[in-house]
Amino acid sequence: LLVQMHETGHNLNLHHSGLFNGGSYDDKSCFMGAPLYSDDAPYMCFNGPKSWALGWYSDGHVTASPGNWEGKLVGVDDIVKANGFDKAVHTSILKLPTQSSAYDDFYLMYERAKGVNAGVVQHGDKVTIVSTSWLSCESTVLASLNENDDGAHTFANWDGTNDLVVQVCERTSGAPDYARVIVYLNDGNNNHLTCSTTNTSPPTTSPTLNPTLPPTDSPNKPPAVPTTAHPTKAPLAVSHTPLTLP
């Protein structure tokens, strides 16, 4: 199965998947590496840049400039089975375009090990950070993270000045399973997202709508029946015209 999928990938103009400081076939989370030789296994998929190049899960593709980004990465199985995946809320693959000659484009993907990806040989249930200079070129796994691996990975001088930080805050099981991830540039001033904050709009400095009409100093209308100084034994007389029956 691996050899068939690997060679099919080449026919689709995909190249090999390797590891940082490793070989060209060492990414065992992708068929374009060499994860396992078997007739009927492994049950797994292509990595982030390969899936992006194929246009798979494109409803959930997001391209972000690394400022302050926060989102929920969902694994392949919940996407293809439509298990609660909502493109307005969830992300399948996050692309971070390169900001300097020191780095290639980054692709982040949650390698949730279940269903069609249950047999992923490497990086299972982690968020992978994979780089490539072009989608038809070889890709390289730079890091794989979950919240138990200190959660964060730093890339020094990402834009020539600031460090890029990718952090996994939590992984949640449900419909769908997801990994909550934050991405930010660290300028040394601690003015960035943390796992205890969310990327929301700042509050306004003044009301956005006009207040309702202010209260009046006195009633707008006189009471229907005048009040008396002391309780009465009977209701006040109210004049009326008797009804005339036909």
Side-chain angles (χ1 to χ4, degrees):
L1 177 61
L2 164 67
V3 174
Q4 292 171 327
M5 292 299 296
H6 185 97
E7 296 307 321
T8 298
H10 281 313
N11 291 335
L12 295 172
N13 203 32
L14 302 181
H15 284 241
H16 294 150
S17 300
L19 291 179
F20 182 69
N21 289 334
S24 297
Y25 294 87
D26 286 349
D27 177 9
K28 295 178 173 57
S29 66
C30 179
F31 279 123
M32 299 314 294
L36 181 67
Y37 294 95
S38 175
D39 290 339
D40 301 316
Y43 285 95
M44 54 181 286
C45 303
F46 294 103
N47 65 17
K50 310 303 187 192
S51 298
W52 187 290
L54 294 170
W56 292 356
Y57 336 120
S58 59
D59 280 354
H61 289 185
V62 172
T63 300
S65 297
N68 282 341
W69 184 88
E70 186 233 358
K72 298 174 180 178
L73 291 174
V74 176
V76 170
D77 189 68
D78 283 333
I79 296 173
V80 298
K81 294 179 180 177
N83 183 29
F85 179 81
D86 182 353
K87 65 181 181 181
V89 178
H90 305 119
T91 301
S92 59
I93 306 171
L94 174 66
K95 177 182 178 180
L96 303 176
T98 180
Q99 303 292 303
S100 71
S101 59
Y103 294 97
D104 295 327
D105 294 339
F106 286 2
Y107 296 82
L108 277 63
M109 186 174 182
Y110 181 30
E111 290 287 352
R112 180 69 174 98
K114 75 172 187 178
V116 298
N117 201 47
V120 61
V121 178
Q122 194 177 40
H123 313 308
D125 294 330
K126 292 190 174 186
V127 172
T128 54
I129 306 171
V130 185
S131 71
T132 185
S133 58
W134 193 252
L135 287 174
S136 60
C137 295
E138 183 177 313
S139 62
T140 303
V141 178
L142 301 179
S144 61
L145 307 170
N146 63 29
E147 73 282 2
N148 297 319
D149 298 321
D150 294 331
H153 193 89
T154 300
F155 299 92
N157 297 319
W158 162 261
D159 60 359
T161 303
N162 303 303
D163 296 343
L164 173 71
V165 181
V166 178
Q167 184 168 3
V168 177
C169 297
E170 62 178 335
R171 290 173 298 139
T172 300
S173 298
D177 299 345
Y178 65 82
R180 185 167 69 89
V181 177
I182 59 174
V183 180
Y184 60 88
L185 291 177
N186 188 357
D187 59 4
N189 295 322
N190 294 322
N191 184 25
H192 57 72
L193 287 174
T194 67
C195 283
S196 61
T197 63
T198 55
N199 191 13
T200 57
S201 300
T204 58
T205 56
S206 58
T208 54
L209 296 176
N210 293 328
T212 56
L213 295 176
T216 58
D217 294 331
S218 57
N220 294 323
K221 294 181 180 181
V225 178
T227 58
T228 59
H230 302 285
T232 58
K233 296 182 179 180
L236 294 176
V238 178
S239 61
H240 63 274
T241 303
L243 296 175
T244 302
L245 298 177

